Amino acid sequence: MSSIKPLRKAVFPVAGLGTRFLPATKSMPKEMLTVVDKPLIQYAVEEALEAGIEQIIFVTGRGKGALEDHFDISYELEATMKARGKSLALIENIRQTPGSPVYVRQQEPLGLGHAVWCAREIVGDEPFAVLLPDELMVGTPGFLAQMVEAYHRVGGNLIGALEVAPEETDKYGIITPGAVDGPLTEVLEVIEKPKQGTAKSNLMTPGRYILQPEVMKILDNPVKGAGGEIQLTDAMAQLIGKQPFHGYTFAGDRYDCGDKAGFIQANLALALAREDIGPSVRAFAQTLLS
Ligand code: UTP
């Protein structure tokens, strides 16, 4: 029997303040921003379910109630739509089974590492995925499904690994790469936001992770890292050399929707790809650009 433990749980840290997207995010969670007609969080949850995840865990904070409502029954809306003979297809499938998702609170936004640690009691002694919903990943199969397929072969810890322009490496967690085997790259080191000119590669870690539960023990004794925040990167870096640790390069497209330009690009790309609205959006975009 394989010693690789199955992956059943996924953590969605959604307690950040979203300051780069103000004023939109003053009273609305960043993860509820919509790309065409679906909030970012729904794209991420669908990606996780497609990858076989059974338990969804949201790490939320104050002012994030809209997220909880989105995955719940909306009685008034459903009753009114039913009475008017309208299809509920677009809202019925969002609801999760009773008892899921699980919500835990991060009282203060102390950083991604701290947010993930807030889910430790629910994660328990199992491997788990982490998905950052403001990173929209579009591909077939989805990013996490591709990672899970690789996880079943190599086990241990897997993190996304995508190339960025060399001048952008100081914005991200950057991998020091070892041996490369197709989409898998051995991770020798991972450094959060290295100073300009010091990065060992231009392979950044976008917001997809499969981690072993030992990382929670490391986060029990957190250290403040880049930006004065408790960084997930710093904690998982301590597992390198002790457990298998690979980067996975996604065959698909990434949109950084925590950033205004990335968010607009995602809306444009996904709108153009749609059968219903694509033609009219394309015609309008062409008039703007001509
Ligand atoms: P970001 O680095 O994008 O931070 O977090 P942010 O606060 O959401 O946005 P800006 O930079 O102020 O605009 C990446 C992910 O980690 C979550 C966020 O909700 C987002 O999904 N996060 C971050 C937390 O849950 N808690 C934190 O303390 C920090």
Side-chain angles (χ1 to χ4, degrees), residues 2 5 26 29 50 59 76 86 105 116 125 173 217 241 251 261 274:
S2 162
K5 283 195 195 166
K26 181 163 179 264
E50 181 208 351
V59 181
E76 295 81 356
K86 293 200 168 159
R105 294 277 278 217
V116 168
D125 192 25
K217 297 271 171 300
R274 286 265 295 246

Side-chain angles (χ1 to χ4, degrees), residues 12-21 30-31 59 64 106 108-112 114-115 131-134 193 229 258:
F12 297 76
V14 291
L17 297 178
T19 54
R20 283 172 295 153
F21 233 112
K30 172 170 74 174
E31 299 78 10
V59 181
K64 300 279 181 172
Q106 183 192 27
E108 283 181 88
L110 298 178
L112 179 58
H114 182 258
L131 294 94
L132 305 190
D134 54 351
K193 301 187 177 67
E229 295 195 341

Side-chain angles (χ1 to χ4, degrees), residues 3-198:
S3 61
I4 298 174
K5 283 195 195 166
L7 181 76
R8 301 188 313 113
K9 300 183 178 182
V11 176
F12 297 76
V14 291
L17 297 178
T19 54
R20 283 172 295 153
F21 233 112
L22 286 167
T25 47
K26 181 163 179 264
S27 62
M28 184 181 70
K30 172 170 74 174
E31 299 78 10
M32 286 301 290
L33 290 171
T34 54
V35 172
V36 185
D37 53 6
K38 233 195 266 184
L40 287 168
I41 188 68
Q42 191 179 334
Y43 286 99
V45 166
E46 287 174 357
E47 182 188 327
L49 296 175
E50 181 208 351
I53 292 297
E54 294 164 21
Q55 177 149 56
I56 304 290
I57 305 162
F58 287 143
V59 181
T60 69
R62 282 178 299 287
K64 300 279 181 172
L67 276 163
E68 302 187 15
D69 291 342
H70 187 68
F71 292 96
D72 201 355
I73 295 177
S74 174
Y75 280 109
E76 295 81 356
L77 181 64
E78 292 186 21
T80 309
M81 286 178 72
K82 256 188 215 152
R84 292 182 185 168
K86 293 200 168 159
S87 162
L88 298 185
L90 288 175
I91 52 173
E92 266 178 345
N93 63 353
I94 301 168
R95 265 193 253 138
Q96 303 299 300
T97 47
S100 178
V102 173
Y103 297 90
V104 295
R105 294 277 278 217
Q106 183 192 27
Q107 282 92 345
E108 283 181 88
L110 298 178
L112 179 58
H114 182 258
V116 168
W117 178 77
C118 289
R120 66 198 177 285
E121 296 293 341
I122 314 292
V123 165
D125 192 25
E126 289 192 32
F128 61 103
V130 178
L131 294 94
L132 305 190
D134 54 351
E135 299 260 14
L136 174 59
M137 305 294 183
V138 181
T140 311
F143 198 164
L144 192 65
Q146 293 182 27
M147 287 175 73
V148 166
E149 191 273 323
Y151 171 72
H152 286 142
R153 283 186 280 128
V154 294
N157 303 275
L158 262 98
I159 58 178
L162 298 185
E163 282 188 16
V164 285
E167 60 276 14
E168 297 214 334
T169 48
D170 60 341
K171 290 196 214 149
Y172 302 105
I174 299 291
I175 292 170
T176 304
V180 177
D181 177 12
L184 286 170
T185 302
E186 190 189 354
V187 175
L188 301 181
E189 203 181 23
V190 53
I191 298 175
E192 188 62 37
K193 301 187 177 67
K195 290 204 171 66
Q196 273 288 352
T198 65

